Amino acid sequence: MAMRKLGKPTAHRKAMLRGQITYLLENERLETTVTRAKELRSAVEKIITLGKKAAASEGAGQLHYKRQIFSVVTKGDVSKKLFDDIAPRFAERKGGYTRIIRIGPRRGDAAEMAIIELV
């Protein structure tokens, strides 16, 4: 699947997405541009699915999923929140963990802004 480049080199783009994923999971709400929100949506939904798989499995499988999450989420307390609060909340849901709400243009450069939040 193709990924938007967002006008950044690969390392900057990955670092930005990791930071945004961590912030969104920590605060459950983030204001950003529509394009970044759409890119962030797919990444966050994959992380939440990994959290659900880690909660459902045990042993080496659970460790594998947790290590995949630790490679993306930059704060330990946020990953703990993912395992303890967020993943169980979405246990019965098969996808669509986020919602994007457009809030209009940003002052200054008129970039289309949006709020992305956990459902």
Side-chain angles (χ1 to χ4, degrees), residues 55-103:
S57 63
E58 55 187 50
Q62 182 180 27
L63 180 62
H64 175 68
Y65 295 130
K66 284 187 174 186
R67 285 182 175 165
Q68 284 182 315
I69 291 168
F70 294 148
S71 72
V72 176
V73 177
T74 58
K75 294 181 178 177
D77 57 333
V78 176
S79 57
K80 181 171 175 22
K81 179 180 178 179
L82 174 65
F83 297 130
D84 296 343
D85 299 338
I86 297 172
R89 184 182 349 157
F90 295 123
E92 300 301 317
R93 198 174 180 105
K94 293 195 182 337
Y97 312 120
T98 58
R99 153 188 321 133
I100 296 176
I101 304 166
R102 292 172 184 255
I103 57 173

